[in-house]
Amino acid sequence: MIRKFTFGNPFPTEAVVETYPAENVTLPYFSIENGSFSCTLEPNAPVYGLGEQVRGINKRGWIYVSNCTDEPHHEETRRSLYGAHNFLIVGGETPFGIFLDYPGHLTFDIGYTDSNVLTITPEDWNLDVYLIESPDGLCSSIVHLFRRMIGRSYIPPRWAFGYGQSRWGYMDEKDIRQVARGYLENGIPLDAIYLDIDYMERYKDFTVSDERFPDLPGLVSDMKKEGIHLVPIIDAGVKIEKGYSVYEEGVKNNYFCKEADGTDFVGAVWPGRAHFPDVLNPEVRRWFGRKYKYLLDMGIEGFWNDMNEPALFYSEKRLKKVFEELEKFKGQNLDLEKNNAFLGLVNTLANNPEDYRSFYHEPGNGREKVRHDKVHNLYGYNMTRAAEEAFEELEPDKRILLFSRSSYVGMHRYGGIWQGDNTSWWSHLELNIKMMPSLNMCGFLYTGADLGGFNADTTEDLLLRWLQFGIFTPLMRNHSAMGTREQEAYRFSNREALKRTIQLRYCLLPYLYSEYMKAALKDTMMFRPLAFDYPKDAEAAQVEDQLMLGDSLMLAPVYRQNALGRYVYLPEDMLLITSSGPEDFRCRKMKAGHHYVKAAAEEVIFFLRKGQLLPLAAPAANVAETDTSHLTVIAYPGEDCSYTLYEDDGISRNYGSPDNYETITVNRVGIASCYGHRNRTVCAIKIKD
Amino acid sequence: MIRKFTFGNPFPTEAVVETYPAENVTLPYFSIENGSFSCTLEPNAPVYGLGEQVRGINKRGWIYVSNCTDEPHHEETRRSLYGAHNFLIVGGETPFGIFLDYPGHLTFDIGYTDSNVLTITPEDWNLDVYLIESPDGLCSSIVHLFRRMIGRSYIPPRWAFGYGQSRWGYMDEKDIRQVARGYLENGIPLDAIYLDIDYMERYKDFTVSDERFPDLPGLVSDMKKEGIHLVPIIDAGVKIEKGYSVYEEGVKNNYFCKEADGTDFVGAVWPGRAHFPDVLNPEVRRWFGRKYKYLLDMGIEGFWNDMNEPALFYSEKRLKKVFEELEKFKGQNLDLEKNNAFLGLVNTLANNPEDYRSFYHEPGNGREKVRHDKVHNLYGYNMTRAAEEAFEELEPDKRILLFSRSSYVGMHRYGGIWQGDNTSWWSHLELNIKMMPSLNMCGFLYTGADLGGFNADTTEDLLLRWLQFGIFTPLMRNHSAMGTREQEAYRFSNREALKRTIQLRYCLLPYLYSEYMKAALKDTMMFRPLAFDYPKDAEAAQVEDQLMLGDSLMLAPVYRQNALGRYVYLPEDMLLITSSGPEDFRCRKMKAGHHYVKAAAEEVIFFLRKGQLLPLAAPAANVAETDTSHLTVIAYPGEDCSYTLYEDDGISRNYGSPDNYETITVNRVGIASCYGHRNRTVCAIKIKD
């Protein structure tokens, strides 16, 4: 049951697609005092949710703030990341869900100040609160209700389930061709190369450097012949430059965010001084969205939207003030206090809260202008919405790949997200694992982290172990920052193991695509905590480093340096699958309970659930070349197993027809069959019972 | 066997106390080319050592730099921390040790560039290399040989094994008294309160603020009545201030480090502009060391030496240059490149390598002056040596507590170290665990981390779990930074659990002191990786989050948020001890192998080895009040167990007499006895076999 409670005059975020009448009774579960909602937490009961956030699947024990932030460090004591996903499930005897539809700064103290108290504090009292209760008391039912309420998740083209390579620092066409060649010559599959800010002319959106990319359409076309899609980045800020059409049009039509006095707000990002399209306004969204056509017309079929928290290096006004202030420190003895003040001046230039309070949006539809900080968390959402709404118009019969850095609940309908600018830390591989189910709860299905880590230098085994997890995440992209160790898979002495791991992704494609589409079309979670599938199992509730993936699999990634195995908890009997690459699937039945499972550096381990099966394709050079007409099936031995396979053309916007579903069965003696509208042969791998 | 190889003209670090002739043959194991030593690593063979460094017990897979650095972040991709401990054990068929006695910048690429190659690169070729081989091929034997070669580890007074409370931000006498009262009123034991920089007058060494600490001797004496020692901090830099005697004397006598032109080098730390005592010179050491008398005379019995990498906020010359450079950015459009240059100017002011190349030491003894960067890693070592050499003269019959932030091998003879300015991260609790055996290898026995974490806000369960590990580390100190959540144990809603955990420390005191003294007096490791005790056990070699502690115990700390248990590997049958505080020791025999062991938030779990026993005292308010004449003993049931207890007066410098050793036995039916020179009663806890 979903109940809505309205406080004050909320800004219409359009996160929720269904209409609910607001109730006039008091909000149950919570008491409201001192400007906060509070409720008691049962001892040791978990709290789930918050989507893109730091720490565990169980969010208890920390204080989090929904405040979309360019936060490249992600340490566990940070309070905000790039997204704002205000959905929680409060566990205990009778779990319930709560969604706070509030686009401003929102604090969740989940057993931090007092270990048994949850306190939620908005900055003001204009918000909608939705309570979600399920008669069966299951967390998965609560998520399902919430997901139905916020609308269907974004569906990318099928090629976007291939492996992609990215780096901030591919400076020109030559670099791109070299990366493509590196992969092709080493026989490593590849579906996409990402273009970071380097492809643009002086970091201007919807421009391409003439000098460094003299013929982007030609390059796009050449790459496509190799099965590789180029995916350019688009930034939120528009460079201030006379004669630059996007800037000129924006100024002329009042499309940029303005300060209180009506002048266009000046913040700085990559190009320096920039204006920010007022994407909360439908007319501006339509204008900005149609700008993507410039690149679509060059053959581009996918984009990533960046810096859309929006990130600010500085505002012009603040920078001026800081330079004046700096003068005062000249020639002085900078002791602790003065040195901190001096450094503080410079190091609070970026993303300064005062700057976010200095500009405004004109949301249109007769609504009054609104100060940015009040709706801060909607910016990336609406920038991405602008693009996807334009794509629906420009390419009505074709899915365009789109994902964003910043997001709010609701944006999951328009695009995916990547998990931000992480670092080459083992702890960020672990965070990647833990974030998957939390994001799925909030509707973000098309997601993944920068494999190998974006900032800092990766290591051979970190990249390998991360790819071993990344082969399961819908977005599978290796990305790294300028100045760090080169991170393409073919550059490492363990390249053979990296290659064989990436090949596995393509074997898994029929399963991953099926599970993605079923989760999107049925408002369910592709990645789930063990506790969701085994709600009565107290030991499963403790597990934070294993995940249920779709109908058939349980993942147990290795995420420790130099580890040659790991502990795994099996809530029921399962089949251990150990693989070092395609055609190496060693299977062993294991009993429910705790186990130490070996996994050499080049081995990925995962588990098949009792009574389930896993369809596998032969490895291929890319998604388009993956032959799904012949599938090999691993079935849990000695039982009747069946599986619902989903397949469609992978590119049109017509999905979900009943014809797209097929049933694969393997009976207890190992005979495999497939029922559906396609000609498909399936063959079961023989496994000793 | 220890073999010495000399390259060029090494600076005499005095790290090694034994004399070895340099060999004229080629260095075995390694090839030397391109300015580096290289050797092949066997696949999956571990590499141990490096003392205070990031990452695991097994150092393989990363690139480390010995370059003492004020590094408050400690993420896993940092390359240097506060210490330089150039000792490695290269594992494999026949493990060997290598110590590079080299006080400059030294790089260890341990399977980072190529996973099977170790490459060591000094900045120049003036160094001594010691190869350490043991006929039995055991890592523990290699460590023992190395430790004998570098001399006996520092021994603190016994009260330094008590629990201490610290915070940067105890501003005055009132704050100190309030903390003492907080502990006393809550019945939580306490042996020390640490004074951070706030006690000084404008951060001047060997001064006390008249205004905020009008009667430090009186405060010291009042606290002592409660069993609490005050432990002030001493910084490396000496404030430049006319009339301040330490400054005046230093200038007059040429005791400070000088630039090439002979002027005193000006760097800045807490007080702003400061000079740096040239502690590499014996005369300066004697002068600086005797300054501690100022505080000894007030009744102080312990110190911590800080900022002695030495840390630099800026150099006067660089700051001037930066202000000039900043001018050029005024009014400009700061795009990516210019903004990075602008921020880079300010954010490379601190600890700039160029500044370390701009001043010199006069080491005396007829040696030429030497540029600081060539001997950088010796600074903290010699500052601490200055103090301890003075204490030996000033207090010949009394041990003074002394530990340092920066260190080099050799400093372990003069003081302990704390593990630097960590953060309230679960990953730093884990790092604390992993650093203990690495530090022990290099002679640093008196050590521990800032429990609860120094930087950022701690959480209730992090502090509790960290204390549950901290009760076992010789230095057991709760320390936090200004501006962070207050971290005294009595401030939290789980204070009862925190109290009972701290009480356990005092129960463990007879064991911990015995093990510390045996390790110091016999050049062995108090904390050991499991692989050292079970060298033939391949599964033990994989364990990085359990430690052997002394003769009897194996630790398996819980270091995960919200965890109610953990996996443990037992290399042999052991006795699980679960305790929530004194008089709650639940024991259960467990079989060798892998286990999941439950541990509620307030429960510490640890293991008693087969055939061993653990002596326990009753809980007490502090070390002095701990009654060791009546001991309770937990013995591994059903076997004859014996234990060597060590006890002395805990304060004099006479240790190690045969009279200090006693033997406790418990026979297989549970009868306990004690043989020694003291009247001591022992009584075994009955445990079901």
Side-chain angles (χ1 to χ4, degrees):
Chain A
M1 191 176 65
I2 297 171
R3 300 167 65 186
K4 179 180 179 180
F5 302 83
T6 294
F7 298 84
N9 179 26
F11 186 89
T13 67
E14 299 176 64
V16 174
V17 295
E18 305 273 337
T19 311
Y20 303 88
E23 298 195 13
N24 276 324
V25 298
T26 319
L27 181 72
Y29 298 104
F30 289 86
S31 65
I32 302 183
E33 48 186 340
N34 304 323
S36 298
F37 304 89
S38 288
C39 86
T40 304
L41 299 172
E42 295 172 25
N44 295 326
V47 177
Y48 300 111
L50 292 189
E52 188 178 34
Q53 262 293 5
V54 296
R55 300 209 171 215
I57 294 175
N58 178 359
K59 308 314 280 187
R60 195 157 172 170
W62 188 237
I63 184 164
Y64 308 84
V65 178
S66 283
N67 180 38
C68 297
T69 305
D70 179 10
E71 173 42 88
H73 297 301
H74 288 28
E75 303 106 345
E76 60 192 82
T77 43
R78 297 286 168 164
R79 294 183 175 177
S80 304
L81 294 181
Y82 307 86
H85 307 142
N86 305 333
F87 171 68
L88 285 184
I89 296 175
V90 179
E93 269 305 300
T94 319
F96 65 93
I98 178 169
F99 172 58
L100 298 106
D101 193 6
Y102 180 74
H105 190 279
L106 186 62
T107 302
F108 297 85
D109 179 337
I110 309 179
Y112 166 77
T113 299
D114 182 318
S115 53
N116 292 324
V117 179
L118 163 66
T119 304
I120 304 174
T121 312
E123 277 200 330
D124 61 40
W125 283 80
N126 297 304
L127 74 164
D128 287 318
V129 177
Y130 296 85
L131 270 187
I132 304 152
E133 294 161 300
S134 163
D136 61 12
L138 295 177
C139 293
S140 49
S141 307
I142 294 168
V143 169
H144 179 59
L145 289 170
F146 175 58
R147 292 274 304 283
R148 240 179 28 199
M149 166 183 148
I150 58 173
R152 207 207 64 226
S153 296
Y154 165 76
I155 292 174
R158 192 160 187 258
W159 64 261
F161 289 83
Y163 171 68
Q165 178 65 56
S166 185
R167 182 174 175 88
W168 171 23
Y170 294 154
M171 297 310 295
D172 52 24
E173 179 174 330
K174 194 174 84 326
D175 283 356
I176 301 294
R177 289 189 189 273
Q178 193 202 351
V179 170
R181 200 165 50 244
Y183 275 95
L184 292 168
E185 286 178 358
N186 286 281
I188 309 174
L190 190 69
D191 267 276
I193 298 177
Y194 288 79
L195 304 177
D196 209 319
I197 53 171
D198 319 291
Y199 81 91
M200 293 185 247
E201 190 199 312
R202 296 304 308 157
Y203 314 124
K204 288 185 289 188
D205 276 342
F206 313 115
T207 69
V208 175
S209 164
D210 268 354
E211 193 189 323
R212 288 173 293 109
F213 290 86
D215 177 20
L216 186 60
L219 181 65
V220 168
S221 155
D222 287 355
M223 289 293 111
K224 260 189 214 170
K225 286 176 200 144
E226 309 286 3
I228 298 168
H229 300 77
L230 297 190
V231 183
I233 198 168
I234 303 292
D235 286 322
V238 170
K239 186 174 197 291
I240 298 177
E241 184 181 283
K242 270 222 148 27
Y244 164 42
S245 66
V246 184
Y247 160 75
E248 300 273 7
E249 285 170 34
V251 170
K252 196 179 74 187
N253 297 302
N254 289 311
Y255 284 162
F256 296 128
C257 293
K258 291 182 191 303
E259 300 202 29
D261 65 3
T263 58
D264 289 334
F265 169 74
V266 181
V269 275
W270 309 117
R273 292 176 197 128
H275 291 322
F276 293 83
D278 185 358
V279 287
L280 268 63
N281 181 297
E283 188 187 334
V284 179
R285 273 207 298 279
R286 184 147 196 282
W287 166 72
F288 193 77
R290 291 186 66 95
K291 291 287 160 206
Y292 287 75
K293 189 166 183 300
Y294 173 76
L295 288 153
L296 289 174
D297 288 348
M298 294 186 186
I300 294 293
E301 297 169 312
F303 299 89
W304 45 313
N305 283 345
D306 196 13
M307 302 289 282
N308 50 7
E309 294 70 27
L312 295 177
F313 293 169
Y314 56 85
S315 71
E316 191 174 34
K317 285 193 175 161
R318 174 170 310 281
L319 186 68
K320 199 157 164 267
K321 214 162 58 186
V322 163
F323 272 114
E324 283 163 21
E325 292 281 324
L326 285 175
E327 280 298 315
K328 297 183 192 158
F329 290 91
K330 237 181 193 169
Q332 286 212 45
N333 179 35
L334 304 186
D335 61 4
L336 168 59
E337 293 77 7
K338 284 188 193 153
N339 195 50
N340 281 352
F342 165 70
L343 297 175
L345 270 178
V346 173
N347 290 321
T348 56
L349 271 168
N351 308 317
N352 192 296
E354 205 185 298
D355 289 332
Y356 291 121
R357 288 193 292 267
S358 76
F359 64 93
Y360 293 80
H361 297 272
E362 291 281 1
N365 296 323
R367 289 192 70 88
E368 279 182 16
K369 76 174 179 182
V370 54
R371 207 174 69 190
H372 174 78
D373 61 301
K374 303 278 181 194
V375 291
H376 173 70
N377 293 335
L378 300 179
Y379 196 92
Y381 164 17
N382 280 290
M383 176 191 175
T384 301
R385 181 178 177 181
E388 175 59 14
E389 285 177 345
F391 299 157
E392 284 167 23
E393 206 183 310
L394 297 165
E395 298 278 7
D397 292 329
K398 187 172 163 185
R399 306 178 212 168
I400 302 293
L401 171 60
L402 180 62
F403 57 93
S404 172
R405 194 168 72 182
S406 187
S407 61
Y408 182 81
V409 168
M411 202 208 83
H412 68 285
R413 301 193 298 270
Y414 301 101
I417 60 169
W418 86 100
Q419 291 166 21
D421 296 341
N422 63 6
T423 303
S424 296
W425 292 339
W426 290 91
S427 58
H428 276 181
L429 163 52
E430 193 181 341
L431 185 63
N432 181 193
I433 298 165
K434 293 178 179 177
M435 229 188 255
M436 293 303 294
S438 303
L439 283 170
N440 275 204
M441 288 177 211
C442 299
F444 294 91
L445 296 183
Y446 190 75
T447 186
D450 290 347
L451 305 173
F454 176 68
N455 291 299
D457 294 326
T458 200
T459 64
E460 290 197 355
D461 61 342
L462 176 60
L463 179 59
L464 180 54
R465 292 299 193 187
W466 212 327
L467 284 173
Q468 287 173 1
F469 177 66
I471 58 171
F472 296 104
T473 62
L475 169 59
M476 182 192 181
R477 180 175 76 145
N478 174 343
H479 184 39
S480 60
M482 188 176 276
T484 64
R485 185 180 195 177
E486 291 183 310
Q487 203 166 290
E488 294 76 21
Y490 53 82
R491 294 193 191 271
F492 295 86
S493 71
N494 62 349
R495 79 180 66 83
E496 186 60 23
L498 295 168
K499 167 185 164 174
R500 289 173 54 77
T501 300
I502 295 166
Q503 285 177 324
L504 275 178
R505 166 65 160 211
Y506 293 82
C507 302
L508 289 164
L509 189 67
Y511 179 73
L512 295 175
Y513 190 70
S514 293
E515 294 305 324
Y516 186 91
M517 293 303 291
K518 289 188 282 182
L521 295 168
K522 295 175 180 173
D523 299 321
T524 59
M525 292 167 68
M526 185 174 171
F527 290 87
R528 301 176 303 279
L530 269 58
F532 280 32
D533 283 34
Y534 303 94
K536 295 204 185 308
D537 183 333
E539 314 220 30
Q542 276 281 303
V543 179
E544 291 248 329
D545 60 358
Q546 303 171 208
L547 297 175
M548 307 310 298
L549 165 53
D551 289 333
S552 306
L553 299 186
M554 182 179 80
L555 307 183
V558 175
Y559 57 93
R560 296 294 199 163
Q561 172 178 288
N562 294 318
L564 300 174
R566 59 159 287 169
Y567 288 103
V568 179
Y569 175 66
L570 305 189
E572 59 178 329
D573 295 356
M574 289 190 184
L575 187 74
L576 164 65
I577 303 175
T578 304
S579 171
S580 67
E583 287 137 36
D584 170 30
F585 295 98
R586 284 158 280 155
C587 301
R588 181 158 64 90
K589 252 190 184 179
M590 292 185 78
K591 287 276 168 215
H594 297 286
H595 299 272
Y596 183 84
V597 179
K598 290 190 178 171
E602 70 282 5
E603 288 176 341
V604 53
I605 53 169
F606 55 104
F607 295 84
L608 180 66
R609 294 177 76 169
K610 206 170 168 171
Q612 302 296 321
L613 58 79
L614 172 68
L616 293 163
N622 52 54
V623 167
E625 291 193 9
T626 306
D627 175 13
T628 60
S629 66
H630 300 277
L631 297 178
T632 303
V633 169
I634 298 175
Y636 189 87
E639 309 231 343
D640 289 336
C641 303
S642 95
Y643 180 72
T644 303
L645 188 78
Y646 178 96
E647 194 173 85
D648 58 20
D649 66 13
I651 192 70
S652 80
R653 291 177 186 269
N654 287 321
Y655 18 63
S657 132
D659 291 359
N660 295 336
Y661 295 90
E662 295 167 72
T663 304
I664 301 176
T665 61
V666 176
N667 69 10
R668 55 187 68 213
V669 295
I671 310 294
S673 329
C674 183
Y675 309 92
H677 287 78
R678 285 178 180 73
N679 282 323
R680 199 187 303 276
T681 60
V682 294
C683 152
I685 292 181
K686 275 265 172 290
I687 297 165
K688 271 192 302 200
D689 191 354
Chain B
M1 190 174 66
I2 297 172
R3 300 167 64 185
K4 179 180 179 181
F5 302 83
T6 295
F7 298 84
N9 180 25
F11 186 89
T13 67
E14 299 177 62
V16 174
V17 295
E18 305 274 337
T19 310
Y20 302 89
E23 297 196 14
N24 276 324
V25 297
T26 319
L27 181 71
Y29 298 105
F30 289 86
S31 66
I32 303 183
E33 49 186 339
N34 304 321
S36 298
F37 303 90
S38 289
C39 86
T40 304
L41 298 172
E42 294 172 25
N44 295 325
V47 177
Y48 300 112
L50 292 189
E52 188 177 34
Q53 261 294 3
V54 296
R55 302 210 169 212
I57 294 176
N58 178 0
K59 307 314 280 187
R60 195 158 172 169
W62 188 237
I63 185 164
Y64 308 84
V65 177
S66 284
N67 180 39
C68 296
T69 306
D70 178 10
E71 173 42 86
H73 298 301
H74 288 28
E75 304 106 345
E76 59 192 80
T77 43
R78 297 286 167 165
R79 295 184 175 178
S80 304
L81 294 181
Y82 307 86
H85 307 142
N86 306 332
F87 171 68
L88 286 183
I89 296 176
V90 179
E93 268 306 302
T94 319
F96 66 92
I98 178 168
F99 173 58
L100 298 105
D101 192 5
Y102 180 74
H105 190 279
L106 185 62
T107 302
F108 296 86
D109 179 337
I110 309 180
Y112 166 77
T113 300
D114 181 319
S115 53
N116 292 324
V117 178
L118 162 67
T119 304
I120 304 174
T121 312
E123 277 200 330
D124 62 39
W125 283 80
N126 297 304
L127 74 165
D128 286 317
V129 177
Y130 296 84
L131 271 186
I132 304 152
E133 295 161 300
S134 161
D136 62 12
L138 295 177
C139 292
S140 50
S141 306
I142 294 167
V143 169
H144 179 60
L145 288 170
F146 175 58
R147 292 273 304 283
R148 240 178 29 197
M149 167 181 148
I150 58 173
R152 207 209 61 227
S153 296
Y154 165 75
I155 292 174
R158 193 159 186 259
W159 63 261
F161 289 84
Y163 171 68
Q165 178 66 55
S166 184
R167 182 173 175 89
W168 170 24
Y170 294 153
M171 296 311 294
D172 53 24
E173 179 174 331
K174 195 173 80 344
D175 284 355
I176 301 294
R177 290 189 189 274
Q178 193 202 351
V179 170
R181 198 165 51 245
Y183 274 95
L184 292 169
E185 286 177 359
N186 285 281
I188 309 174
L190 190 69
D191 267 277
I193 298 177
Y194 288 78
L195 304 176
D196 208 320
I197 53 171
D198 320 291
Y199 80 92
M200 294 184 246
E201 189 198 315
R202 295 305 308 157
Y203 314 125
K204 286 184 291 187
D205 276 341
F206 314 115
T207 69
V208 175
S209 164
D210 268 354
E211 193 188 322
R212 289 173 291 109
F213 289 87
D215 177 19
L216 187 60
L219 181 65
V220 168
S221 155
D222 286 355
M223 289 293 112
K224 260 188 215 174
K225 285 174 203 146
E226 309 286 2
I228 297 168
H229 301 77
L230 296 190
V231 183
I233 199 168
I234 303 292
D235 286 321
V238 170
K239 186 175 196 290
I240 297 177
E241 185 181 284
K242 271 224 144 29
Y244 163 41
S245 66
V246 185
Y247 160 75
E248 300 274 7
E249 285 171 34
V251 170
K252 196 180 75 187
N253 297 302
N254 289 310
Y255 283 162
F256 295 129
C257 293
K258 291 182 190 304
E259 300 202 30
D261 66 2
T263 58
D264 290 335
F265 169 73
V266 182
V269 276
W270 310 115
R273 292 176 197 128
H275 291 322
F276 293 83
D278 185 358
V279 286
L280 269 64
N281 181 296
E283 187 185 335
V284 179
R285 272 206 299 277
R286 186 149 195 282
W287 167 72
F288 193 77
R290 291 188 65 96
K291 292 287 160 206
Y292 287 75
K293 189 166 184 299
Y294 172 75
L295 289 153
L296 289 174
D297 288 347
M298 295 186 184
I300 294 294
E301 297 168 311
F303 299 89
W304 44 314
N305 284 344
D306 196 12
M307 301 290 281
N308 51 6
E309 292 72 25
L312 294 177
F313 293 169
Y314 56 85
S315 72
E316 191 174 34
K317 286 193 174 162
R318 174 170 310 280
L319 186 67
K320 198 155 165 269
K321 216 160 57 184
V322 163
F323 271 115
E324 284 163 19
E325 293 280 323
L326 285 175
E327 281 297 316
K328 299 183 190 158
F329 290 92
K330 237 180 193 170
Q332 286 212 43
N333 178 37
L334 303 185
D335 60 4
L336 167 60
E337 293 77 9
K338 284 188 192 151
N339 195 51
N340 282 351
F342 165 70
L343 297 175
L345 271 178
V346 173
N347 290 322
T348 55
L349 271 168
N351 308 318
N352 192 295
E354 205 185 299
D355 289 333
Y356 291 121
R357 287 192 293 267
S358 76
F359 64 92
Y360 293 80
H361 297 273
E362 290 281 0
N365 295 325
R367 289 193 70 89
E368 280 182 15
K369 76 174 178 181
V370 54
R371 207 173 69 190
H372 174 77
D373 61 300
K374 302 278 181 194
V375 290
H376 173 70
N377 294 334
L378 300 180
Y379 196 91
Y381 164 18
N382 281 289
M383 177 191 174
T384 301
R385 180 177 177 181
E388 174 59 14
E389 284 177 345
F391 299 157
E392 283 167 24
E393 205 183 308
L394 297 165
E395 297 279 8
D397 291 329
K398 188 171 162 187
R399 306 178 213 170
I400 302 295
L401 171 60
L402 180 63
F403 58 92
S404 171
R405 192 168 73 182
S406 186
S407 61
Y408 182 82
V409 168
M411 204 210 81
H412 69 286
R413 302 192 300 268
Y414 302 100
I417 60 169
W418 87 100
Q419 290 167 22
D421 296 341
N422 63 7
T423 303
S424 295
W425 293 338
W426 290 92
S427 58
H428 276 182
L429 163 52
E430 193 181 340
L431 185 63
N432 181 193
I433 297 166
K434 292 179 180 178
M435 229 189 254
M436 293 303 294
S438 303
L439 284 170
N440 275 204
M441 287 176 213
C442 300
F444 294 91
L445 297 183
Y446 190 75
T447 185
D450 289 347
L451 305 173
F454 176 68
N455 292 297
D457 294 326
T458 201
T459 65
E460 290 198 355
D461 61 341
L462 177 60
L463 179 59
L464 180 55
R465 291 301 193 187
W466 212 326
L467 284 172
Q468 287 172 1
F469 177 65
I471 57 171
F472 296 103
T473 61
L475 169 61
M476 182 191 179
R477 180 175 75 144
N478 175 342
H479 184 39
S480 60
M482 187 175 277
T484 64
R485 184 180 196 176
E486 290 182 312
Q487 204 165 289
E488 294 77 21
Y490 53 83
R491 294 193 191 270
F492 295 86
S493 71
N494 62 348
R495 79 180 68 82
E496 186 60 22
L498 295 169
K499 167 186 165 174
R500 289 173 55 76
T501 301
I502 295 166
Q503 285 177 325
L504 273 178
R505 166 64 163 213
Y506 293 82
C507 301
L508 289 164
L509 189 66
Y511 179 74
L512 295 174
Y513 190 70
S514 292
E515 294 305 324
Y516 187 92
M517 294 303 290
K518 288 189 283 182
L521 296 169
K522 294 176 180 171
D523 299 320
T524 59
M525 293 166 68
M526 185 173 172
F527 290 86
R528 301 177 303 281
L530 269 59
F532 281 32
D533 284 34
Y534 304 94
K536 295 202 184 311
D537 183 332
E539 313 220 29
Q542 276 281 303
V543 179
E544 291 248 330
D545 60 357
Q546 303 172 207
L547 298 175
M548 307 309 299
L549 165 52
D551 289 333
S552 304
L553 299 186
M554 182 179 79
L555 307 184
V558 175
Y559 57 93
R560 296 294 199 164
Q561 172 178 287
N562 294 317
L564 300 174
R566 58 159 288 169
Y567 288 104
V568 179
Y569 175 65
L570 305 189
E572 59 177 329
D573 294 356
M574 290 190 184
L575 187 74
L576 164 65
I577 303 174
T578 304
S579 171
S580 67
E583 287 137 37
D584 171 29
F585 295 98
R586 284 158 281 155
C587 301
R588 180 158 65 90
K589 250 191 185 177
M590 292 184 78
K591 287 276 169 214
H594 297 286
H595 299 272
Y596 183 84
V597 179
K598 291 191 177 170
E602 69 282 5
E603 287 175 343
V604 53
I605 54 168
F606 55 103
F607 295 85
L608 180 66
R609 294 176 75 169
K610 205 170 169 170
Q612 303 296 320
L613 59 80
L614 172 68
L616 294 162
N622 52 53
V623 168
E625 292 192 11
T626 306
D627 174 12
T628 60
S629 67
H630 301 277
L631 297 178
T632 302
V633 169
I634 299 177
Y636 189 87
E639 308 231 344
D640 289 335
C641 303
S642 95
Y643 179 73
T644 303
L645 188 78
Y646 177 95
E647 194 173 85
D648 58 21
D649 66 12
I651 192 70
S652 80
R653 291 180 186 267
N654 287 323
Y655 17 63
S657 131
D659 291 0
N660 296 335
Y661 294 91
E662 294 168 72
T663 304
I664 301 176
T665 61
V666 176
N667 69 10
R668 54 189 68 216
V669 295
I671 310 295
S673 328
C674 184
Y675 308 93
H677 288 79
R678 285 178 179 72
N679 282 325
R680 199 187 304 274
T681 60
V682 293
C683 151
I685 292 182
K686 274 265 171 293
I687 297 165
K688 271 193 302 200
D689 191 355

